[in-house]
């Protein structure tokens, strides 16, 4: 993109950067004419659209080389490296490539099955055998391997049939004799086991993450407001923890950082036996189900299998037919086909930003549905999504112009020749990118780190193992047309989460009739202070937040970055000039807000009491003297030197930041703990006791103590962090639940089974509030943690 920018004359550059929505036809037309006349532009886009120049196509030579490297690793029993090489080889192997007398794909699937078998991943290995046999039903070794796996899994009937087929394909007498002995070794079977070869059926889509139903009594209504435009409100009283909305995405794209680790369709984490795209080397799926749902064809064989049926019993013949079907049928509504236009081996889907790839998927979906005309002139009216193009910064406007021209050209040249590369198409695509900017939702997964199962309740802990903790990973970006209508609040009353691609929205508090239903677009109260939240929302979503927490003073915004009073007996907070200015603007709203007789009165009184704890002088001021002075304690009026305090805090944090490297490397010892404790002492000397920096530091020290096997200290610092977070958020906020996961793992490791059990019950209740019955689906370690805590409690009692 930088090369294209350098080709634009200065006057046109300024025209584009200063353009409004009304100017788009003119600015996009001028830029398009310029590029179409430049050979440098045609050279650049040809590198993006020509499959022969791309790096995402299939390559037989590369696949064979990766296979050889996998073979070497397998012989040296480096199974993890072998798995990596075979999986890469599968990604780039052409479907029709032959290695010796076998299909290259079939041999790679079987090789990977052997690796997975050696790694103890029997079901994954079985699925790879099945894939090899669909491609080559006469593959004797694959039938044999499948038989061995089914024996291990207790599927004795399938095992008997598998070995029988392998024996029928074996040409040597010695081989047949060996297989005959294998048959005799299979235990007697009952007709009760199930096969593991049905992962291609659409009902298995998304790994079984089926969306729940919205409660029947829940009613929502879309309204228009002066400040926020369209939004969703409750059309009835809605209880806490109610599912109020579910939605499949209109379009979704995987994050670039997750292309190697997550399924390109359902966005779930990839298993060891991930399925490659048959047409390009970029996309990979968790199963054939997701592969076909995305619009790809399943890898099968068209070879005549009749000759292997000769002299075989009918039940064995039926077994072969069931394992190696040549065709699997899917109805049109079971296939989303969002990837086909990208699947030509060209570079552009891998090179362009996610916003542009998502825009391409939206355009092609509407064209395939017959809704969008070929010059895209009706695109905006179809989607009916808001945008804030005119408010965007000049560089973003220029980027959108460039991406729109490049994207339309790529779509036209690589997949949709009837698509018109014209002013209208470019203009509408610019607006689409602006819509995606403010309406798309990040699809996230909660990734756990650490392994509590290595922590033994007797008091021994696996050395160098991190505390069980949660980290939010952005795995994709999606458009949910109804989901985008929910407006923002820094203290939301709804929570959204994802089951595979599906969006689920759940209330986190009681919502009365007519109340707005709002989620958080960014940091909530308790994570960032008010001025930083407002700046973020203005820069990313182009509006000035006036939610209940940004218009009224609350304790979280006062203390989150606050300093402590010089009077050691005072619990008041001291603010720097930036925070003081922001909070001063909210004083009138805070002291003059009407105390209505509905459920909000309790909230108002609680906020009033909390603020009084750290800033009681505000509550006694008259309206005409309302102000907050920086460097002055808001409770007792003492003056504090914030500038010097800030310098001391920064120095202490510089020491604490170095600890991250030690945590990641597992190198923690007593001297490191001593340095951390000195830094925390400095923070507590200068920062308010509820300052989030102290909570973060306590959490960091808990991790260090855990690694150094100082478990009692680890617990103490973890509890100290939770205590502060409860003042910044609330007792049953999901952030508290995340921290309690760490506390439970520490308690379990230190032998405090009763404490671990009680903590587990507490965070389970919190997760139920936010995720309902899906908590254990989304956080797979939770059932194990509960089980371990319960087991330890029973052992000790």
């Amino acid at each position: 993109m930088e090369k294209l920018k350098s080709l634009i004359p200065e006057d046109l550059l300024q025209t584009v950067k200063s353009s409004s929505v009304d100017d788009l036809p003119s600015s996009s037309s001028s830029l398009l004419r310029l590029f179409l006349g430049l050979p440098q532009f045609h050279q650049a886009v040809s590198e993006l659209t020509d499959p022969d120049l791309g790096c995402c196509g299939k390559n037989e030579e590369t696949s064979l080389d990766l296979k050889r490297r996998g073979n070497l690793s397998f012989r040296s029993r480096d199974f993890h490296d072998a798995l990596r090489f075979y999986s890469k080889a599968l990604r780039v192997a052409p479907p029709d490539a032959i290695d010796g007398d076998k299909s290259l794909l079939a041999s790679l699937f079987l090789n990977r099955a052997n690796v997975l078998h050696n790694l103890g991943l029997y079901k994954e290995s079985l699925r790879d055998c099945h894939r090899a046999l669909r491609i080559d039903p006469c593959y004797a070794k694959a039938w044999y391997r499948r038989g061995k796996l089914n024996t291990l899994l207790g599927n004795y009937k399938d095992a008997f049939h598998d070995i029988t087929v392998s024996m029928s394909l074996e040409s040597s007498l010695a081989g047949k004799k060996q297989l005959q002995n294998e048959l005799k070794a299979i235990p007697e079977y009952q007709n009760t086991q199930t096969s593991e070869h049905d992962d291609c059926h659409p009902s298995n889509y998304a790994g079984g993450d089926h969306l729940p139903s919205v409660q029947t009594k829940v009613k929502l209504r879309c309204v228009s407001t002066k400040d926020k435009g369209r939004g969703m409100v409750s059309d009835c009283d809605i209880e806490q923890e109610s599912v109020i909305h579910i939605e499949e995405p209109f379009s979704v794209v995987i994050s670039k950082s997750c292309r190697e680790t997550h399924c390109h369709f359902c966005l779930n984490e990839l298993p060891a036996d991930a399925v490659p795209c048959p047409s390009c080397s970029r996309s990979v799926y968790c199963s054939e189900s997701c592969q076909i749902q995305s619009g790809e064809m399943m890898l099968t064989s068209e070879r005549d299998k009749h000759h292997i049926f000769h002299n075989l019993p009918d039940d064995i013949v039926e077994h072969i037919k069931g394992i190696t079907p040549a065709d699997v049928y899917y109805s049109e509504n079971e296939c989303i086909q969002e990837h086909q236009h990208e699947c030509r081996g060209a570079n552009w889907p891998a090179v362009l930003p996610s916003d542009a790839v998502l825009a391409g998927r939206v355009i092609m979906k509407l064209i395939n549905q017959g809704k969008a005309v070929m010059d895209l002139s009706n695109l905006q009216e179809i989607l009916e999504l808001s945008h804030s193009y005119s408010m965007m910064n000049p560089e973003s406007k220029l980027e959108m112009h460039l991406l729109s021209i490049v994207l339309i050209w790529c779509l036209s040249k690589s997949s949709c020749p009837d698509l018109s590369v014209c002013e209208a198409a470019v203009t509408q695509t610019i607006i689409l990118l602006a819509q995606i900017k403010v309406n798309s939702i990040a699809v996230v997964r909660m990734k756990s780190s650490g392994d509590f199962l290595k922590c033994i309740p007797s008091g021994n802990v696996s050395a160098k193992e991190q505390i069980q903790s949660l980290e939010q990973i952005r795995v994709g970006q999606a458009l949910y047309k109804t989901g985008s209508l929910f407006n923002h609040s820094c203290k939301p009353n709804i929570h959204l989460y994802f089951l595979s691609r599906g969006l689920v929205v759940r209330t986190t508090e009681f919502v009365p009739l007519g109340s707005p239903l709002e989620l958080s677009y960014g940091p909530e109260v308790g994570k960032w202070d008010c001025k930083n939240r407002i700046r973020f929302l203005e820069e990313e979503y182009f509006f000035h937040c006036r939610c209940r927490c940004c218009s009224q003073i609350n304790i979280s915004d006062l203390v989150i970055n606050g300093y402590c009073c010089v009077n050691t007996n005072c619990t008041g907070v001291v603010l720097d000039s930036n925070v003081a200015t922001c909070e001063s603007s909210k004083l009138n709203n805070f002291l003059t807000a009407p105390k209505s007789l509905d459920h909000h009165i309790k909230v108002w009184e609680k906020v009033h009491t909390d603020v009084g704890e750290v800033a009681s002088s505000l509550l006694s001021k008259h309206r005409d003297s309302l102000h907050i002075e920086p460097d002055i304690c808001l409770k007792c009026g003492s003056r504090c030197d914030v500038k010097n305090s800030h310098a001391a805090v920064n120095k202490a944090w510089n020491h604490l930041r170095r600890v991250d490297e030690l945590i990641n490397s597992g190198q923690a010892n007593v001297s490191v703990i001593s340095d951390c404790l000195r830094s925390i002492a400095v923070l507590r000397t200068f920062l308010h006791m509820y300052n989030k920096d102290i909570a973060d530091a306590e959490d960091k020290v808990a991790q260090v103590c855990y690694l150094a096997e100082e478990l009692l200290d680890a617990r103490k610092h973890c509890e100290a962090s939770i205590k502060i977070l409860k003042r910044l958020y609330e007792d049953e906020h999901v952030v508290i639940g995340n921290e309690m996961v760490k506390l439970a793992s520490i308690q379990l490791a230190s032998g405090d089974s009763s404490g671990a059990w009680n903590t587990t019950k507490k965070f389970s209740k919190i997760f139920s509030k936010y995720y309902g019955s899906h908590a254990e689906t989304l956080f797979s370690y939770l059932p194990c943690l509960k089980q371990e805590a319960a087991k330890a409690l029973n052992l000790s009692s």
Side-chain angles (χ1 to χ4, degrees):
M1 288 299 168
E2 291 303 319
K3 188 181 293 184
L4 293 180
K5 288 180 186 179
S6 67
L7 301 174
I8 306 173
E10 186 61 31
D11 58 339
L12 180 54
L13 199 66
Q14 294 307 316
T15 298
V16 170
K17 288 183 175 182
S18 60
S19 60
S20 66
V21 175
D22 293 336
D23 301 326
L24 283 178
S26 173
S27 60
S28 60
S29 178
S30 298
L31 195 59
L32 179 61
R33 281 199 311 271
L34 170 71
F35 283 151
L36 292 181
L38 294 175
Q40 298 97 317
F41 170 78
H42 290 279
Q43 174 65 28
V45 292
S46 68
E47 293 174 359
L48 291 175
T49 57
D50 189 343
D52 294 332
L53 299 175
C55 59
C56 299
K58 302 293 187 177
N59 189 295
E60 183 175 352
E61 185 178 337
T62 302
S63 182
L64 287 170
D65 180 60
L66 288 166
K67 181 184 179 183
R68 284 190 289 269
R69 295 168 73 179
N71 292 343
L72 289 173
S73 297
F74 185 83
R75 292 188 194 108
S76 62
R77 302 192 65 78
D78 187 348
F79 298 125
H80 290 285
D81 256 5
L83 177 62
R84 183 166 55 88
F85 285 128
Y86 289 143
S87 294
K88 285 184 176 181
L90 280 164
R91 295 274 288 271
V92 298
D96 56 353
I98 300 296
D99 184 19
D101 63 341
K102 294 292 178 187
S103 159
L104 176 57
L105 276 173
S107 66
L108 284 169
F109 276 125
L110 182 60
N111 284 7
R112 193 172 69 173
N114 292 339
V115 172
L116 294 169
H117 190 162
N118 278 276
L119 289 171
L121 300 173
Y122 300 144
K123 290 187 177 181
E124 291 85 346
S125 179
L126 190 64
R127 290 196 292 262
D128 265 358
C129 287
H130 177 214
R131 290 158 188 153
L133 289 169
R134 274 209 310 268
I135 297 168
D136 184 357
C138 301
Y139 206 164
K141 289 182 180 179
W143 284 112
Y144 172 72
R145 176 65 56 184
R146 195 175 190 279
K148 296 291 287 184
L149 288 161
N150 272 321
T151 301
L152 288 169
L153 291 167
N155 299 331
Y156 301 131
K157 181 179 179 180
D158 275 356
F160 181 86
H161 290 166
D162 292 337
I163 301 294
T164 301
V165 177
S166 180
M167 189 166 62
S168 74
L169 295 169
E170 177 60 47
S171 57
S172 70
L173 291 176
K176 287 183 180 292
K177 184 176 181 181
Q178 180 186 345
L179 291 170
Q180 186 64 49
N181 291 332
E182 295 275 0
L183 280 177
K184 292 177 181 177
I186 297 174
E188 291 293 326
Y189 58 83
Q190 299 295 323
N191 223 353
T192 56
Q193 77 285 342
T194 58
S195 281
E196 291 289 336
H197 58 261
D198 59 353
D199 69 327
C200 61
H201 194 274
S203 63
N204 294 325
Y205 147 59
D209 294 345
H210 302 296
L211 293 178
S213 299
V214 174
Q215 272 85 335
T216 54
K217 294 182 179 180
V218 169
K219 295 180 181 178
L220 310 183
R221 181 163 45 96
C222 182
V223 299
S224 293
T225 62
K226 181 180 178 181
D227 293 334
K228 296 187 176 184
R230 289 186 301 171
M232 302 297 287
V233 301
S234 59
D235 220 11
C236 61
D237 289 347
I238 305 177
E239 296 299 323
Q240 180 178 291
E241 299 184 34
S242 297
V243 174
I244 61 169
H245 180 66
I246 58 171
E247 186 177 1
E248 291 285 356
F250 183 81
S251 192
V252 63
V253 65
I254 193 168
S255 299
K256 287 189 175 183
S257 60
C258 295
R259 285 177 179 172
E260 303 299 316
T261 57
H262 289 73
C263 176
H264 286 226
F265 181 75
C266 73
L267 305 180
N268 286 330
E269 197 166 349
L270 288 171
D273 63 319
V275 182
C277 171
S279 306
C280 76
S281 62
R282 186 173 67 94
S283 297
V284 62
Y285 305 97
C286 65
S287 65
E288 278 88 348
S289 172
C290 282
Q291 174 194 331
I292 296 170
Q293 284 282 312
S294 72
E296 298 296 342
M297 296 299 293
M298 187 169 65
L299 291 167
T300 58
S301 171
E302 299 299 328
R303 294 176 60 178
D304 181 15
K305 297 175 287 188
H306 183 73
H307 70 282
I308 67 171
F309 298 166
H310 186 60
N311 292 331
L312 288 178
D314 290 344
D315 59 340
I316 300 296
V317 172
E318 290 303 314
H319 180 69
I320 296 172
K321 289 180 178 179
I323 300 301
T324 62
D327 298 291
V328 178
Y329 296 97
Y330 296 83
S331 64
E332 288 185 7
N333 62 357
E334 290 168 338
C335 297
I336 294 175
Q337 298 184 347
E338 62 189 359
H339 170 60
Q340 283 184 326
H341 67 280
E342 302 169 4
C343 199
R344 303 291 186 274
N347 280 339
W348 71 267
V351 173
L352 296 187
S354 295
D355 279 9
V357 178
L358 184 58
R361 292 192 170 191
V362 171
I363 289 169
M364 292 307 301
K365 179 174 182 176
L366 293 173
I367 288 175
N368 291 333
Q369 290 176 344
K371 296 180 180 178
V373 295
M374 283 304 173
D375 65 355
L376 305 184
S377 55
N378 63 337
L379 197 59
Q380 188 175 4
E381 61 190 64
I382 298 174
L383 291 175
E384 298 182 330
L385 295 173
S386 62
H387 68 85
S388 302
Y389 176 83
S390 296
M391 300 173 65
M392 293 181 180
N393 65 60
E395 287 301 321
S396 293
K397 292 178 179 179
L398 175 59
E399 189 80 9
M400 287 182 179
H401 274 72
L402 293 175
L403 284 175
S404 297
I405 293 173
V406 172
L407 176 61
I408 294 300
W409 183 273
C410 290
L411 291 175
S412 174
K413 297 302 178 184
S414 64
S415 58
C416 189
D418 294 331
L419 181 61
S420 177
V421 183
C422 62
E423 167 200 306
V426 174
T427 298
Q428 290 293 302
T429 304
I430 292 171
I431 294 174
L432 173 58
L433 287 170
Q435 292 171 325
I436 287 172
K437 172 72 174 174
V438 297
N439 289 284
S440 65
I441 297 175
V443 181
V444 299
R445 296 284 185 269
M446 295 300 295
K447 179 182 178 182
S448 58
S449 60
D451 186 354
F452 68 87
L453 291 176
K454 294 183 181 178
C455 304
I456 302 181
S458 63
N460 298 319
V461 60
S462 175
K464 313 303 182 188
E465 185 61 53
Q466 292 188 10
I467 296 176
Q468 183 74 22
S469 60
L470 300 176
E471 176 188 5
Q472 188 168 277
I473 304 295
R474 178 173 176 160
V475 297
Q477 182 180 0
L479 273 181
Y480 298 90
K481 292 186 69 175
T482 301
S484 67
L485 294 175
F486 291 97
N487 280 320
H488 164 83
S489 172
C490 294
K491 194 166 186 180
N493 56 7
I494 60 175
H495 177 72
L496 64 81
Y497 58 94
F498 303 90
L499 294 175
S500 297
R501 303 155 54 98
L503 174 73
V504 182
V505 182
R506 189 181 290 270
T507 55
T508 56
E509 61 184 59
F510 171 77
V511 181
L513 168 68
S515 297
L517 293 154
E518 296 173 324
L519 55 87
S520 176
Y521 292 179
E524 300 178 25
V525 165
K527 187 172 184 180
W528 288 2
D529 65 23
C530 185
K531 64 179 176 58
N532 289 333
R533 295 197 310 271
I534 288 175
R535 183 172 65 247
F536 170 83
L537 293 168
E538 286 178 338
E539 291 175 353
E540 292 296 318
Y541 297 98
F542 314 103
F543 68 88
H544 185 87
C545 186
R546 294 182 176 87
C547 73
R548 51 180 170 166
C549 288
C550 291
S551 58
Q552 296 183 6
I553 287 178
N554 62 83
I555 189 172
S556 297
D557 289 334
L558 292 175
V559 301
I560 189 170
N561 292 324
Y563 295 85
C564 63
C565 180
V566 292
N567 180 355
T568 55
N569 295 322
C570 179
T571 60
V573 65
V574 181
L575 307 180
D576 64 25
S577 58
N578 291 327
V579 177
T581 300
C582 178
E583 295 303 312
S584 290
S585 67
K586 295 159 39 176
L587 276 173
N588 279 330
N589 289 333
F590 174 65
L591 293 179
T592 61
K595 296 184 282 292
S596 57
L597 298 178
D598 59 18
H599 78 289
H600 290 293
I601 188 169
K602 294 182 180 178
V603 176
W604 191 94
E605 289 177 345
K606 181 180 185 301
V607 169
H608 208 76
T609 302
D610 285 347
V611 170
E613 180 184 349
V614 299
S616 57
S617 65
L618 293 179
L619 306 180
S620 60
K621 289 184 178 181
H622 295 291
R623 184 171 181 177
D624 56 0
S625 62
L626 293 177
H627 66 282
I628 294 177
E629 291 187 39
D631 299 355
I632 300 295
C633 175
L634 298 185
K635 189 169 187 179
C636 72
S638 299
R639 178 171 292 276
C640 171
D641 189 346
V642 168
K643 185 176 180 180
N644 284 339
S645 297
H646 182 70
V649 167
N650 274 348
K651 187 175 180 180
W653 258 110
N654 285 336
H655 288 293
L656 286 168
R657 288 188 186 99
R658 297 186 195 122
V659 173
D660 286 330
E661 298 178 9
L662 298 174
I663 291 175
N664 293 332
S665 64
Q667 299 174 2
N669 51 45
V670 176
S671 63
V672 174
I673 295 175
S674 299
D675 291 341
C676 290
L677 293 179
R678 283 192 291 270
S679 296
I680 283 188
V682 172
L683 296 182
R684 287 193 175 276
T685 299
F686 295 100
L687 298 179
H688 191 271
M689 58 183 174
Y690 298 147
N691 188 300
K692 192 169 186 292
D693 274 356
I694 299 178
D696 292 342
E698 293 282 11
D699 182 75
K700 199 179 295 290
V701 174
Q703 175 71 66
V704 173
C705 292
Y706 187 86
L707 289 171
E709 302 183 35
E710 298 291 336
L711 299 180
L712 293 179
D713 286 338
R715 173 179 172 172
K716 180 181 71 174
H717 290 290
C718 187
E719 288 174 337
S721 178
I722 291 173
K723 182 179 179 181
I724 296 171
L725 294 177
K726 284 184 175 181
R727 299 299 290 143
L728 295 176
Y729 296 93
E730 57 190 40
D731 286 358
E732 291 190 354
H733 194 280
V734 69
V735 169
I736 308 301
N738 294 342
E739 288 300 307
M740 284 184 171
V741 170
K742 299 179 184 180
L743 178 59
S745 65
I746 294 170
Q747 291 169 320
L748 193 61
S750 62
D752 181 9
S753 52
S754 177
W757 177 246
N758 289 331
T759 302
T760 300
K761 287 195 295 184
K762 289 178 183 177
F763 72 65
S764 295
K765 181 181 177 183
I766 294 173
F767 286 156
S768 177
K769 172 182 171 181
Y770 283 83
Y771 303 101
S773 61
H774 299 122
E776 294 188 359
T777 301
L778 296 168
F779 310 110
S780 57
Y781 63 87
L782 286 183
C784 299
L785 184 52
K786 290 179 181 178
Q787 183 179 355
E788 289 298 308
K791 187 193 303 181
L793 184 64
N794 291 335
L795 289 174
S796 62
S797 58

